[in-house]
Amino acid sequence: MTSLDKVMIHGRRAARVIRADIGGVRRRQGGNRKMRQGEWRQGSAAEWLWSPEPMRWRRTYSGRPDQVTAARVFAASLFAGTAREEDVAVVVAELATNAVRHTRSGEYRGWFGLEVTLAELAYISVTDLGGGGVPTVCPQPAGSDLECGKRGLVIVSKLAVSIGVHGSVRTGHTVWADVSLLDTGEDKVGCEENTLAS
């Protein structure tokens, strides 16, 4: 029986170590000479965990309304203690709701993807399966109330530093938002809407 034991990354090279248990004999396959000899060192777990690269998560969810809540809770938990966790949760909920309501993601066997990067300028994106129109921010006349069901991207644009979209109706869109963790978002209320970037 062969099983993938673990993946180790050293610089730009990735080496797989595969453990094969055949008749009680363990063999390692792949990797460079140092890894085969067990001399490979990466550093401590804390050094790896707190490396300067931003932390990134990707998850897929079934295209059902209850999964929007699951995505929202997951994203909020990643940003706990940043003072922007509720803003991030709102951004994820609005983007995921749009994916489920307005694209093939909400159809039978549909799904949507969530990508979150935790950094001073956090990146949040939701990828859908396409089929609807192109996501756009509808301009609202000054002093008018936002119509229910037509406010998702306007709300996102008020909470984010920038928002954008890439993809196509045929292959699906990724709608993204950059949220600054350096400000609390309070000064965003009442500002002009950001436009979608491509």
Side-chain angles (χ1 to χ4, degrees), residues 135-170:
T136 57
V137 176
C138 298
Q140 299 293 320
S144 70
D145 292 332
L146 295 173
E147 289 182 48
C148 184
K150 298 207 181 263
R151 60 186 173 155
L153 289 179
V154 173
I155 292 170
V156 171
S157 71
K158 290 184 181 226
L159 295 173
V161 173
S162 60
I163 62 175
V165 62
H166 58 85
S168 71
V169 173
R170 187 176 57 82

Side-chain angles (χ1 to χ4, degrees), residues 119-131:
E120 288 179 357
L121 187 62
Y123 173 81
I124 301 154
S125 71
V126 170
T127 300
D128 63 44
L129 298 179

Side-chain angles (χ1 to χ4, degrees), residues 1-195:
M1 175 167 68
T2 303
S3 64
L4 179 63
D5 191 22
K6 55 185 148 181
V7 176
M8 297 181 185
I9 299 175
H10 184 281
R12 291 181 173 238
R13 294 187 202 160
R16 293 188 326 187
V17 179
I18 297 177
R19 185 177 65 219
D21 295 325
I22 302 173
V25 178
R26 289 187 176 189
R27 294 183 299 166
R28 289 183 179 208
Q29 302 168 342
N32 62 27
R33 186 170 185 262
K34 285 187 176 184
M35 289 180 71
R36 284 194 300 264
Q37 294 175 354
E39 299 172 12
W40 185 75
R41 301 280 187 266
Q42 174 62 31
S44 73
E47 289 172 333
W48 175 80
L49 183 62
W50 297 106
S51 70
E53 294 87 26
M55 301 283 286
R56 176 173 290 143
W57 294 265
R58 279 184 160 185
R59 283 195 173 177
T60 59
Y61 296 89
S62 296
R64 300 188 322 259
D66 65 307
Q67 294 300 293
V68 171
T69 303
R72 176 188 169 114
V73 169
F74 171 70
S77 71
L78 297 176
F79 287 83
T82 64
R84 296 299 303 268
E85 54 264 54
E86 192 55 38
D87 293 341
V88 167
V90 169
V91 168
V92 169
E94 294 296 341
L95 298 181
T97 298
N98 285 349
V100 171
R101 282 187 183 166
H102 304 297
T103 73
R104 287 189 294 264
S105 292
E107 295 176 2
Y108 177 70
R109 301 188 85 183
W111 60 271
F112 66 92
L114 172 67
E115 181 175 350
V116 177
T117 301
L118 181 59
E120 288 179 357
L121 187 62
Y123 173 81
I124 301 154
S125 71
V126 170
T127 300
D128 63 44
L129 298 179
V134 176
T136 57
V137 176
C138 298
Q140 299 293 320
S144 70
D145 292 332
L146 295 173
E147 289 182 48
C148 184
K150 298 207 181 263
R151 60 186 173 155
L153 289 179
V154 173
I155 292 170
V156 171
S157 71
K158 290 184 181 226
L159 295 173
V161 173
S162 60
I163 62 175
V165 62
H166 58 85
S168 71
V169 173
R170 187 176 57 82
T171 62
H173 290 99
T174 297
V175 183
W176 56 267
D178 288 333
V179 176
S180 174
L181 298 186
L182 300 178
D183 64 29
T184 60
E186 293 171 4
D187 58 338
K188 288 281 193 188
V189 178
C191 70
E192 293 181 25
E193 293 94 26
N194 296 327
T195 57

